[in-house]
Amino acid sequence: MAEEDVPMTATETPAVPEESKAETSTSATAAVETAPAVTEEEDAELKTKAAAQIEFYFADANLPYDK
């Protein structure tokens, strides 16, 4: 079905202030970083791109390139 390569996109990690790099917390109440919010349109686009990559990976057209 989908035999074209869909390029992966990398997201940059947000910068961490120097003060917080030195602080470490072992408590259960430590703050957890959350992923940035995405719109429904962005989510649908990411799912479509992921599906295309997965379909290509398992497609017969990829067999010669599979290691």
Side-chain angles (χ1 to χ4, degrees):
M1 179 178 191
E3 295 184 12
E4 59 189 47
D5 279 336
V6 179
M8 296 287 291
T9 56
T11 56
E12 292 185 24
T13 309
V16 178
E18 290 298 322
E19 313 78 62
S20 55
K21 286 182 182 177
E23 299 172 8
T24 56
S25 174
T26 56
S27 87
T29 60
V32 176
E33 290 186 36
T34 58
V38 294
T39 65
E40 288 184 26
E41 291 174 352
E42 291 172 325
D43 188 47
E45 182 181 352
L46 290 173
K47 287 179 181 177
T48 302
K49 287 181 178 181
Q53 288 178 330
I54 292 168
E55 288 173 1
F56 178 76
Y57 180 79
F58 288 108
D60 290 339
N62 187 43
L63 285 176
Y65 306 106
D66 199 9
K67 295 181 181 179

